[in-house]
Amino acid sequence: MTALLDCIELESAPNPTAAVIWMHGLGATSDDFAGLVPELDLDGCQPIRFVFPQAPSIPITINGGYVMPGWYDLYGMDLVSKQDAAGIQRSEAAIAALVEREVARGIAADHIVLAGFSQGCAMALHTALRLPHKIAGVMALSGYLPLADRFATERNAANATTPIFMAHGTQDPVVILKRGEDSRDALAALGHPVQWHTYPMPHSVHPREIADIAAFLKQVLPA
């Protein structure tokens, strides 16, 4: 059985009937996006439990083997020519276990959103679209689809029509815009409904993006 990750939890209102599981980026911590929740206009959403898991600390090859919070190892700046499939799959199992915990706590699977930024975005896309039960949506911020060459055969039909919110900065030097565009195109080519947004920013979050995230949550988790 997969051990549950440590998490920070916030509730938008008492007795939540929906959940957003939100993964941080490489080198960050579980509180990285918790401060964003009060900035979201969630009027019109059902009560949401926001779950921010903490990635384990692992050596990161691209950073000289320095140990930091990471969902998987990185070998090069292009992100895709060599990938840590075993690490990605380990984190997939850990995130899927958090989904199952929410279901056990009374949240219907189709009231759960997987979200993430950068490496956390990669994990949200990878995990959500392989889950055996339909979820409400995916929020993929400033990241990419990992192991894209396997995706067509490994994806689960349960989430073939699940809405995907993708956002990227036009000046992102960390996960370049083309990496996000290639992922968008790969998903769209297989029929996945992608809502694509760009913002004039580097590898960060834009004020307009925060409003668009809130609008997406109102769409997929309506009251």
Side-chain angles (χ1 to χ4, degrees):
M1 183 175 171
T2 302
L4 287 173
L5 298 168
D6 290 336
C7 300
I8 291 173
E9 295 186 3
L10 300 171
E11 295 182 357
S12 67
N15 306 312
T17 55
V20 176
I21 302 172
W22 198 323
M23 277 69 71
H24 62 74
L26 178 66
T29 53
S30 55
D31 62 354
D32 203 30
F33 280 86
L36 203 63
V37 173
E39 296 183 47
L40 296 171
D41 173 10
L42 298 174
D43 269 356
C45 283
Q46 55 196 285
I48 301 170
R49 177 185 296 124
F50 287 87
V51 179
F52 299 96
Q54 178 63 51
S57 290
I58 59 173
I60 301 296
T61 299
I62 195 174
N63 290 336
Y66 187 79
V67 174
M68 63 177 63
W71 298 105
Y72 52 89
D73 197 4
L74 283 180
Y75 302 117
M77 277 305 294
D78 79 340
L79 305 174
V80 295
S81 57
K82 181 184 178 186
Q83 298 187 64
D84 177 18
I88 291 168
Q89 288 161 342
R90 274 194 303 274
S91 286
E92 176 192 356
I95 295 163
L98 294 177
V99 174
E100 294 305 327
R101 181 178 67 169
E102 291 309 306
V103 171
R105 291 203 280 187
I107 306 292
D110 62 358
H111 288 200
I112 296 173
V113 170
L114 286 194
F117 176 81
S118 194
Q119 202 182 57
C121 163
M123 286 313 311
L125 285 170
H126 175 90
T127 305
L129 302 177
R130 286 168 171 78
L131 288 171
H133 33 246
K134 182 172 177 58
I135 63 170
V138 185
M139 294 193 314
L141 314 178
S142 300
Y144 65 102
L145 178 69
L147 304 178
D149 56 332
R150 305 182 181 189
F151 178 66
T153 55
E154 292 184 357
R155 68 190 179 127
N156 195 301
N159 285 292
T161 60
T162 298
I164 302 171
F165 175 97
M166 292 189 76
H168 219 102
T170 54
Q171 300 134 29
D172 193 330
V174 178
V175 182
I176 60 170
L177 180 61
K178 184 180 186 319
R179 198 66 62 235
E181 290 172 337
D182 288 348
S183 298
R184 172 201 65 194
D185 295 346
L187 291 165
L190 291 168
H192 290 275
V194 176
Q195 303 174 23
W196 174 254
H197 303 259
T198 57
Y199 307 93
M201 64 177 184
H203 197 59
S204 58
V205 178
H206 193 276
R208 196 167 75 243
E209 182 180 7
I210 295 171
D212 290 341
I213 287 169
F216 180 75
L217 290 175
K218 290 176 191 179
Q219 172 200 335
V220 300
L221 299 174

